[in-house]
Amino acid sequence: MSLKVVKFGGSSLADAGQMKKAADIIRADADRRYVVPSAPGKRFSADTKVTDLLYRCYDLAEKGENFSAVLEEIQSRYNEIISGLGVDFSIDADIREIEENFRKRAGRDYAASRGEYLNGKVFAAYLGFQFVDAAEVIFFREDGSLNQEKTSESLRKALDGVAYAVIPGFYGCGADGYVRTFSRGGSDVTGSIVAGAVRANLYENWTDVSGFLVADPRIIDKPAPIRTITYTELRELSYMGASVLHEEAIFPVRSAGIPINIRNTNDPSAPGTMIVPESHDEEVSAYTITGLAGKKNFMAINLHKDRMNSQIGFCRDVLDVLAENGVCIEHMPSSIDSMTVIIDHAQIAGKEDEIMTQIRKRVNPDDLYLEDGIALVAVVGRGMCRTRGVAARIFAALAHARINVKMIDQGSSELNVIVGVNEEDFEQAIRCIYDMFVNAAEVSR
Ligand code: ASP
């Protein structure tokens, strides 16, 4: 028998109707044994997530203001779900306890975690599964990082002999014994931790989209879906802005070699996207590339100095200045007598003049200037390293679209090509590369 851990996001559990869909999915496969729910999310676009209501409620409590109206709103969200599901369950005692703890200033993390806690209890009652409080099985260290050993051990112990259980997402227990949460969207991480600890065969992450798309649907009309992607490719694409899964969610399953399947609660027959270890990548995309993503708001620091190449430590000195100012760099293309450092604008905003002065003092360049308004486009695909002419096609597409390329970077793994263009050309760059690889492949099929 195989074992699946299934995580349902907030929109998949936003009301009783959505919860029923999730429960049908769980019941359709006896291998779906451990369920990790988020708190109820938005039912419609102007709606408020329960987690945000909890933050709002606690902020009032902390200021000593009256928070009963917001707490009632939260309670009625759950009561609507409970009555919609027709389950014999009450959260009244829990709400009273939460109210008391808010008055005692139990902390913002405790407050936010109650969304998952209550939802987990309601969902467990509806499914007839055992409820396992995440505060008893997920542990953080003093520095806020996950205590992997203690967590895995506790999870295994708590789930030993338990056929079906619900473990709420998003929170655990801090080193001081108080509830702590992951960053927003952190139920994805909980699901991954549970899957890793129980050595699941698959981690299914149910959300409101049918997986990852080759490109951003705000730029490309109905982009093709990504059927299979490796963990490494996903890291590259997520870093460049493709977001479906919490950034930290791949690590616990990756180390155990467990694939993640992103699925759509509103379209359960769609296969979604499989995120697989590098060793399972037999099925390479028909388009050669796996995905395309990008971001605006980058800046370039351009330096020129005659005979820079023979000056030992030149690049290091420039990077030292940036490091001393707490600036993280993205790329560093160079030539014999010049170098460019590409930086996310937010990293350097407000410190530009100071940093330029320090660089000037440290390396005395012949020329030094800042260039703003740069966008980066990442073309990602494990199929690229086995295929000749990929770079040629990327640059031919850009040239035909009359887009000037300001920077090129190809990682040594040949997994991605990163191109820097002017921000005004960003959308067009994505479109023409998409056309070249995806639309052209569709036509020739
Ligand atoms: N409920 C939390 C949030 O809104 C965590 C999650 O949904 O994963 O961020």
Side-chain angles (χ1 to χ4, degrees), residues 247-357:
E247 251 205 315
E248 296 296 316
I250 64 165
F251 299 110
V253 281
R254 180 183 194 160
S255 54
I258 301 165
I260 308 175
N261 191 190
I262 307 285
R263 300 283 293 269
N264 189 349
T265 306
N266 303 316
D267 186 10
S269 60
T273 300
M274 276 300 244
I275 307 166
V276 298
E278 273 53 45
S279 52
H280 287 52
D281 71 344
E282 301 87 15
E283 200 194 313
V284 171
S285 164
Y287 311 125
T288 308
I289 64 166
T290 303
L292 260 177
K295 280 202 280 197
K296 291 184 179 177
N297 281 321
F298 289 95
M299 248 180 160
I301 300 179
N302 297 303
L303 289 110
H304 181 97
K305 181 155 182 161
D306 278 343
R307 286 189 282 281
M308 179 191 111
N309 68 324
S310 56
Q311 193 175 322
I312 292 169
F314 184 94
C315 295
R316 187 203 58 205
D317 288 343
V318 173
L319 297 182
D320 271 350
V321 171
L322 293 166
E324 284 155 18
N325 284 280
V327 173
C328 184
I329 72 155
E330 305 287 329
H331 299 280
M332 200 182 68
S334 63
S335 68
I336 295 187
D337 290 332
S338 75
M339 71 182 275
T340 298
V341 189
I342 308 268
I343 300 165
D344 185 337
H345 193 140
Q347 287 276 323
I348 192 172
K351 305 192 253 189
E352 296 93 330
D353 293 346
E354 179 56 29
I355 289 174
M356 296 299 265
T357 309

Side-chain angles (χ1 to χ4, degrees), residues 7 9-10 38-39 49 51-52 55 112 116 169-170 183-188:
K7 180 257 168 181
S38 280
K49 294 179 176 186
T51 309
D52 290 310
Y55 279 126
E116 271 70 10
F170 191 39
S183 55
R184 295 300 302 264
S187 299
D188 285 345

Side-chain angles (χ1 to χ4, degrees), residues 9 51 140 159 161 194 213 241 249 287-288 319 365 390:
T51 309
F140 296 94
L159 295 173
V194 175
L213 300 169
Y287 311 125
T288 308
L319 297 182
V390 175

Side-chain angles (χ1 to χ4, degrees), residues 54 58 61 67 71 75 90-107 110-111 113-114 117-118 121 131 133 135-136 171 179:
L54 284 160
Y58 188 72
F67 59 88
L71 193 59
Q75 185 171 10
S90 165
I91 58 157
D92 294 353
D94 284 306
I95 291 285
R96 272 197 302 280
E97 186 183 317
I98 291 169
E99 185 174 7
E100 214 169 284
N101 288 333
F102 274 27
R103 286 196 207 289
K104 288 190 205 147
R105 314 280 197 273
Y110 165 80
S113 75
R114 296 304 87 184
Y117 174 80
L118 293 172
K121 280 188 138 183
F131 174 77
D133 188 354
E136 281 159 24
Y171 71 93
V179 166

